[in-house]
Amino acid sequence: MVHGTSGFRGTRAGVTAGSEPRNQSDSVVGDSLPRIRVPYWCAKGHETRLVFVKLPEDQIPLRWDCPKCGLVAAREQGQANFERADEEIFKSHLDYVKERRSSQDAEIVLAGALERLRARRVLPDELLGDA
């Protein structure tokens, strides 16, 4: 039976049937470095488990930021402090924006954004709070 499509469908130029991909060597594919899982606990009790390449103990961080609350987490449960050092205070995106802009600047930016929405007629005036 003859097919109406080319026999090279799905292959790239220069590849012969049965050849290995160019980016892989003759070594066994899938060999990986040994890894270890390291738990960290913050002062609020959140546990974070991170995976590191197996390194000497002194090269694995003793502290890590908790992804749930932003406090410092330690490798030993109950060892983390509730507070950070003054230079390490956790700041949200809004905190950084408030450092750059005053309340008056924020009102101007908001008014401009609302005006652009009105001009594009994206939202009715009732939803924008001016009706």
Side-chain angles (χ1 to χ4, degrees):
M1 175 182 237
V2 177
H3 296 286
T5 61
S6 166
F8 295 106
R9 184 174 179 186
T11 61
R12 63 178 191 264
V15 176
T16 58
S19 66
E20 291 185 14
R22 281 188 284 182
N23 60 353
Q24 292 181 1
S25 64
D26 293 337
S27 66
V28 177
V29 177
D31 287 345
S32 62
L33 297 172
R35 302 189 187 284
I36 57 170
R37 187 174 300 271
V38 180
Y40 290 86
W41 290 272
C42 73
K44 291 185 177 179
H46 300 135
E47 181 181 6
T48 304
R49 292 179 169 265
L50 302 172
V51 177
F52 293 99
V53 172
K54 186 143 177 78
L55 296 170
E57 193 68 25
D58 61 336
Q59 292 183 8
I60 297 173
L62 296 174
R63 301 177 338 164
W64 199 267
D65 289 341
C66 177
K68 294 180 180 133
C69 65
L71 293 175
V72 175
R75 290 175 58 185
E76 298 294 326
Q77 194 167 9
Q79 299 254 336
N81 296 329
F82 268 106
E83 296 179 7
R84 293 173 169 264
D86 287 338
E87 69 275 357
E88 294 184 13
I89 294 174
F90 178 77
K91 293 182 183 179
S92 67
H93 175 70
L94 182 60
D95 293 330
Y96 286 108
V97 170
K98 286 181 179 179
E99 285 180 3
R100 294 191 318 263
R101 297 188 188 268
S102 67
S103 297
Q104 186 178 8
D105 290 339
E107 291 294 327
I108 292 169
V109 170
L110 178 61
L114 292 175
E115 196 58 42
R116 285 190 300 276
L117 287 173
R118 279 190 206 97
R120 291 175 32 206
R121 297 188 184 274
V122 173
L123 294 173
D125 287 340
E126 303 88 50
L127 294 177
L128 295 175
D130 292 341

